Amino acid sequence: MTRSAIRVRFAPSPTGMFHVGGARSALYNWAVARQSAGTFVLRVEDTDTARNSPEWTAGIIRALETIGISASDPAFEGPYFQSDNVARHREAALQLHVAALAYYCDCTRDQVRERTGSEHSGYDGFCRERGLESGENRALRFRTPDHGHTLVADAIRGRTSFPNSAIEDFLLARGDGSPLFLLANVVDDVDEDVTHVIRGEEHLPNTPKQQLLWEALGSAPPQWAHLPVIVNEKRQKLSKRRDKLALEDYLADGFLAEAMVNYLMLLGWGPGDDREILPYAEMERLFRIEDVNPAPAFFDVRKLTAFNGEYIRALSAEAFAEACAPWLVEPYAPWPPEAFDAKVFAAVAPLAQTRLALLSQITEQVDFLFLDRPVFDEASWAKAMKQDAAALLGDVRSAYTSVPWREDELKSVLTAVGGRHGLRLGKAQAPVRVAVTGRTVGLPLFESLELLGRERTLKRLDEALERIRRPHRAFHHDQDLEEEQM
Ligand code: GLU
């Protein structure tokens, strides 16, 4: 490896579901690595054993794979596990102590608070010159330079100078000798020859401290880049309690991974023209970390949904069918598995494909084709089945008994029958649609009827007429049946 090669890293802590924010960081790192024939290191920061679990690590690797960050790609290196490097972290701590760049400290939190009179003023340097040796309950602190400035160069935010006097003597290791985040994170970055640290802006306060550590360990600091915070529609930072965060939850709701990738790439960056929907490969080529906007990025679920619709429409017929597959079986599909007919689905799929915003919507778009009787949406029923609906449905039923079973014929018959009832086609369709599909909105009606077939359509019109006439019985049909069987 040449020193000039770009090496980025993604360093998640496996303490929960993989979030969209993490996905964006990973994607930006991936783009930087791939466009420069560099390396993307996956480092799992798993030293917080109380909060980690191998399950979360597996989830991260799986999620990365879903968004195209594949361990089999030559740009990918790792995963490395921070917990494997603890001996190195301790060694670095010792090295810093020997060089007088760190000192031991036995102050308790309460003592510091008493002396400084505040919880938040940071460490007061009490042990700086006490020359304590290592020992039980002695934590190790970094000795921040007394004078001068630390100049942090951030590719997105420009250069910021921090007076060293304002940076506290921060902790490197606990009283039991176990390394802390700032130390472990930097030692690993140094050892892994990381050249660019691209991460969320919540780490900004750590950066001057970490840069001092890089220098103290004898290495030139990396290029920093802190990505903008992601906010919801109320301009609040996305949070587990308020917002849906897990990438997997979005996928389970019927978002396509490709649409997620496209949308996440645009959370703080754009290709520089007015295009928004563009293939990942092109975004990867155009992406420049310097072009990322430091302003908070609004995670607009409506826009993401619109992207998803575009991506769904762009799928080939086969890819669409494949993408829908999980929603055509249990637990999503309300029909019995044997009722599913792949040929009927293939015929209806193109009609549905242009109308879905989420893949999960496919189930209710097509359920009327595979169920014995439609699932009635009561609000739709109430809206469509006004007083004259029965007369209209009765006439449609008679006319449909003999009409050639083709969508154009079905349409002209309904136009004519509707006309006799003083209804335009749009109005006349509503009760028929609800009778047959259970809902007021759905796929184009006449194509749907053609697919459903004459026999089933007539049966549903009869059942709807029965339901209008005897709402109580019809509404409780299944229950009555069960009672009769008992
Ligand atoms: N493990 C840290 C986190 O999950 C990442 C630190 C970093 O990227 O430097 O936030």
Side-chain angles (χ1 to χ4, degrees):
M1 186 206 68
T2 56
R3 266 314 291 194
S4 60
I6 287 183
R7 290 174 63 82
V8 298
R9 87 310 191 255
F10 178 57
S13 306
T15 55
M17 300 280 272
F18 185 69
H19 291 176
V20 287
R24 183 199 51 183
S25 297
L27 284 166
Y28 283 6
N29 275 290
W30 186 242
V32 167
R34 294 238 327 156
Q35 66 181 204
S36 60
T39 302
F40 171 101
V41 174
L42 173 61
R43 180 176 74 238
V44 181
E45 301 212 320
D46 60 344
T47 42
D48 184 353
T49 43
R51 293 174 64 220
N52 291 327
S53 107
E55 197 187 305
W56 300 132
T57 301
I60 291 169
I61 294 173
R62 205 172 48 234
L64 290 175
E65 193 80 41
T66 322
I67 56 173
I69 302 180
S70 167
S72 60
D73 191 289
F76 191 101
E77 190 178 299
Y80 299 133
F81 292 89
Q82 189 155 65
S83 56
D84 290 340
N85 305 337
V86 176
R88 260 296 293 147
H89 307 147
R90 288 176 182 265
E91 184 185 300
L94 212 61
Q95 178 195 334
L96 291 169
H97 182 244
V98 168
L101 293 164
Y103 60 90
Y104 287 101
C105 164
D106 62 2
C107 299
T108 63
R109 209 181 289 243
D110 287 343
Q111 288 168 341
V112 178
R113 195 182 31 224
E114 258 168 49
R115 286 198 302 266
T116 60
S118 143
E119 187 79 54
H120 308 289
S121 58
Y123 187 61
D124 60 353
F126 182 80
C127 291
R128 253 190 169 218
E129 310 307 335
R130 288 177 70 205
L132 295 178
E133 285 306 314
S134 70
E136 223 178 300
N137 291 330
R138 289 192 178 164
L140 188 69
R141 287 192 183 272
F142 185 75
R143 187 189 297 277
T144 305
D146 295 319
H147 307 291
H149 286 77
T150 294
L151 185 71
V152 171
D154 188 295
I156 299 169
R157 285 149 213 276
R159 295 150 82 85
T160 314
S161 174
F162 298 85
N164 289 334
S165 57
I167 305 173
E168 71 164 330
D169 286 352
F170 54 91
L171 285 169
L172 298 170
R174 297 185 187 86
D176 62 2
S178 58
L180 283 158
F181 166 73
L182 291 171
L183 177 70
N185 182 266
V186 170
V187 170
D188 286 354
D189 279 347
V190 170
D191 287 358
E192 287 157 15
D193 292 311
V194 167
T195 59
H196 292 62
V197 170
I198 302 168
R199 60 184 180 181
E201 75 169 35
E202 67 275 14
H203 286 291
L204 263 177
N206 295 326
T207 312
K209 296 176 184 172
Q210 292 194 309
Q211 175 153 319
L212 285 170
L213 259 181
W214 274 81
E215 288 160 358
L217 292 167
S219 294
Q223 170 67 68
W224 306 101
H226 287 91
L227 307 178
V229 64
I230 304 178
V231 297
N232 65 17
E233 70 285 349
K234 295 195 186 112
R235 300 271 133 191
Q236 299 160 317
K237 184 177 187 307
L238 291 194
S239 97
K240 229 192 322 215
R241 278 171 297 109
R242 284 189 296 254
D243 308 290
K244 183 159 45 181
L245 289 185
L247 183 71
E248 266 179 73
D249 288 346
Y250 282 92
L251 299 175
D253 280 354
F255 287 95
L256 281 167
E258 293 75 11
M260 293 299 297
V261 166
N262 191 155
Y263 186 69
L264 291 170
M265 285 296 292
L266 299 188
L267 276 182
W269 172 83
D273 47 38
D274 51 11
R275 279 177 311 162
E276 292 197 303
I277 305 272
L278 61 172
Y280 173 75
E282 195 165 356
M283 291 189 282
E284 179 180 291
R285 188 171 61 76
L286 296 172
F287 184 79
R288 293 290 171 270
I289 193 72
E290 306 78 43
D291 294 342
V292 170
N293 185 339
F298 170 33
F299 191 85
D300 184 348
V301 179
R302 283 172 53 185
K303 187 162 175 179
L304 168 63
T305 310
F307 271 44
N308 203 51
E310 296 260 353
Y311 271 86
I312 289 175
R313 286 188 279 287
L315 293 174
S316 69
E318 299 75 52
F320 177 68
E322 204 178 302
C324 288
W327 284 277
L328 301 174
V329 291
E330 280 178 329
Y332 302 105
W335 55 82
E338 65 280 6
F340 183 74
D341 183 333
K343 273 213 207 88
V344 170
F345 180 74
V348 77
L351 301 176
Q353 187 172 358
T354 57
R355 290 174 169 78
L356 298 187
L358 297 173
L359 288 168
S360 50
Q361 293 165 343
I362 190 67
T363 323
E364 63 170 50
Q365 293 265 357
V366 303
D367 62 359
F368 72 96
L369 288 164
F370 308 119
L371 284 167
D372 251 2
R373 157 175 318 120
V375 182
F376 288 110
D377 166 52
E378 296 306 338
S380 295
W381 178 275
K383 197 161 129 201
M385 301 302 185
K386 298 276 160 58
Q387 53 283 45
D388 43 6
L392 175 85
L393 287 179
D395 287 357
V396 174
R397 201 246 177 254
S398 318
Y400 276 2
T401 316
S402 53
V403 66
W405 204 254
R406 284 204 327 260
E407 50 148 317
D408 53 340
E409 299 279 353
L410 294 167
K411 181 177 177 181
S412 45
V413 164
L414 185 61
T415 312
V417 175
R420 288 206 295 279
H421 286 258
L423 296 171
R424 275 194 235 234
L425 183 60
K427 285 263 184 254
Q429 277 194 53
V432 178
R433 182 188 288 283
V434 172
V436 171
T437 71
R439 301 181 187 89
T440 41
V441 284
L443 302 181
L445 179 63
F446 303 106
E447 275 123 315
S448 300
L449 297 180
E450 188 179 320
L451 279 168
L452 190 64
R454 189 193 311 269
E455 202 185 312
R456 289 207 285 166
T457 302
L458 296 182
K459 184 163 165 260
R460 287 181 191 195
L461 293 172
D462 287 340
E463 285 175 353
L465 283 162
E466 175 68 11
R467 203 175 193 250
I468 294 173
R469 249 177 251 129
R470 307 169 67 180
H472 174 73
R473 273 199 67 80
F475 275 120
H476 297 102
H477 191 89
D478 291 334
Q479 199 185 326
D480 289 351
L481 216 64
E482 272 164 33
E483 277 163 15
E484 277 162 27
Q485 283 165 347
M486 280 190 339

